[in-house]
Amino acid sequence: MNPRILTATVTRILQQLRHDRRTIALLVAVPAVLLSLVYYMYADQPTAPGQPSSFDRIALVMLGFFPFIVMFLVTSIAMLRERTTGTLERLLTTPLAKTDLLFGYGIAFGLAGTVQATVTSAVAYWFFGLQTAGSSALVIMIAALNAVLAVALGLLCSAFARTEFQAVQFMPVVVAPQLLLCGLFVPRDEMAGWLQAASDVLPLSYAVEALQEVGAHPEPTGTMWRDVAVVAGAAVLALMLAAATLRRRSG
Amino acid sequence: MEDAIAVRGLVVDRGGRRVLHGIDATVPRGSVTGLLGPSGSGKTTLLRAVVGVQEISAGTVTVLGAPAGSPPLRRRVGYLTQAPSVYADLTLRENAHYFAALHGRDRAAADAAVADVGLASAAGQLVGTLSGGQRSRASLACALVGEPELIVLDEPTVGQDPVLRADLWDRFHTLAATGTTLLVSSHVMDEAARCDRLLLIREGRLIADDTPAAIRATAGVDDLDEAFLRLIRATQPDQPGETR
Ligand SMILES: Nc1ncnc2c1ncn2[C@@H]1O[C@H](COP(=O)(O)OP(=O)(O)OP(=O)(O)O)[C@@H](O)[C@H]1O
Ligand SMILES: [Mg+2]
């Protein structure tokens, strides 16, 4: 990796995003709209005494979902575009290292995901009165980490897609099982053993657990830090695999 | 002096089909070498092998003394892909700045490269809104911005008017005069006449590697167009050549 080339690549990706005003508007607005939907859905639901309200429980986890889903899609399409327009082939003949490109995407879309998470969290806390025992900064940090994980998985998956249609199909394959098994719908320890085992190897489960720890404890817990480390490790691993599957030579 | 490019026994298969059947060719330094041949003859494939993005089945490609595609070469070689490969959602200037940065050049060098292809007034425009010919030149500017020692250009003048084509070829010769090596593929015969040397390729086989004058002499005609037709027919007398 070369700091000058990495910086230039991050700048270039953010410039591309900046020219696409509508995407920026959607990135920022859609999560807030969906969040308000959840708020009104659960507005009249009773809350068991001593338990967090349904909205608090669901909104907290959704703050982690949005950057994960959106950044996975954005990255898959962006990387596939590099492939199909020939810019990737040209980049690979320049001094750019494969890790410059992959970490460039990780940083640029990680930043975009952080902005998204910050805006969505602000809406959740200020408009809808989201309550968490722990700090909102930790919530944003975990959501940002989710964005980076999604970028890494998107880069890896795009290596296996030849067309936009294929790339979009990876979204239900990679994202949906993680959403279903992460513990939001059924607590992980109440699932069948084999589902629990599957949940244990999916990185999003750890991100959700980390968010729930922040929701329940005023101070960051050891479990939360362990979960954060697992998610970060999974992101780095996916980036390494993406670098290994990115070939300079093709047929 | 050692050749800029030395290709030995290069065999390439693409999609299960043999596309290059044992090419042997050299490109001298500080010259403009033209790569000509019918559509589908393997020009792009050969250029891809030279810049090191093509998987090869046999043979060697040596570029500036090192195996094609080896890391130190990447700062010494510039490549223009046949289809323009620039970011449509960036302005021309932003594209040029990015490719300049990859090669360690500053913004002034990038702006100069854009001006050199006659696009200074369009520098602030999104590449996606440029005309087809302008977009090709935008892509060319990004290939030249690193001032590489070897420049590999896949049909750089397609879609340009005669005046611009003449300008671009003058630039290629100016670059060659300062020691840069250029390998340029083309379909246009009046461009072939502007090259110092020509490689003529047909169905993945090299059928001529000489100066334009020598190729005219071999074929026994003055017109390069006609000379190529004769050489192509001579290599396969019973099949009419696919020409463009
Ligand atoms: N990705 C690919 N997979 C399979 N076959 C390919 C691929 N790319 C090119 N080919 C085939 O390889 C042969 C040589 O193609 P190449 O692109 O090198 O031709 P070319 O001389 O550059 O043609 P043109 O002048 O039309 O650009 C053609 O028969 C083409 O169909
Ligand atoms: Mg071609």
Side-chain angles (χ1 to χ4, degrees), chain A residues 251, chain B residues 14-15 17 19 38-45 82 155 187 244:
Chain B
R14 298 186 85 172
R17 241 167 28 83
V19 172
S39 178
S41 56
K43 299 184 293 297
T44 298
T45 308
Q82 184 167 2
E155 309 208 7
H187 275 121
R244 241 172 64 173

Side-chain angles (χ1 to χ4, degrees), chain B residues 51-242:
Chain B
V51 297
V53 296
Q54 178 65 52
E55 271 173 9
I56 64 180
S57 305
T60 58
V61 183
T62 309
V63 175
L64 303 172
S70 52
L73 283 182
R74 284 187 218 126
R75 56 191 75 252
R76 302 170 67 192
V77 177
Y79 176 40
L80 174 74
T81 52
Q82 184 167 2
S85 51
V86 271
Y87 296 98
D89 47 359
L90 288 183
T91 66
L92 173 49
R93 188 180 292 118
E94 288 166 344
N95 267 290
H97 287 174
Y98 179 50
F99 286 102
L102 295 184
H103 288 280
R105 307 285 151 152
D106 59 14
R107 291 171 164 230
D111 295 334
V114 169
D116 278 345
V117 295
L119 286 177
S121 60
Q125 210 174 321
L126 282 183
V127 164
T129 66
L130 293 177
S131 75
Q134 288 177 329
R135 202 188 288 209
S136 311
R137 277 184 283 149
S139 194
L140 179 62
C142 294
L144 300 181
V145 69
E147 294 169 29
E149 289 166 60
L150 169 67
I151 304 180
V152 177
L153 303 175
D154 201 350
E155 309 208 7
T157 60
V158 165
Q160 308 301 338
D161 63 77
V163 178
L164 262 172
R165 282 225 311 263
D167 283 354
L168 289 176
W169 277 91
D170 286 343
R171 281 226 20 187
F172 298 163
H173 281 287
T174 312
L175 286 169
T178 63
T180 306
T181 307
L182 292 98
L183 176 59
V184 183
S185 80
S186 174
H187 275 121
V188 188
M189 287 307 152
D190 66 336
E191 295 190 340
R194 291 170 174 268
C195 296
D196 301 318
R197 290 190 70 84
L198 294 174
L199 300 171
L200 180 59
I201 174 173
R202 177 179 197 279
E203 292 187 357
R205 292 188 170 83
L206 199 67
I207 59 175
D209 175 2
D210 225 325
T211 62
I215 286 178
R216 286 193 194 98
T218 315
V221 286
D222 254 2
D223 181 35
L224 261 184
D225 234 334
E226 186 58 32
F228 277 144
L229 281 177
R230 288 194 185 188
L231 283 173
I232 282 172
R233 295 210 172 109
T235 54
Q236 217 149 59
D238 41 329
Q239 257 180 39
E242 180 199 13

Side-chain angles (χ1 to χ4, degrees), chain A residues 4 19 82 89-90 249-250, chain B residues 48 54 87 94 101 139:
Chain A
R4 172 175 48 81
H19 284 293
E82 295 255 20
E89 173 165 311
R90 181 193 283 215
R249 286 177 189 272
S250 55
Chain B
R48 279 170 47 90
Q54 178 65 52
Y87 296 98
E94 288 166 344
S139 194

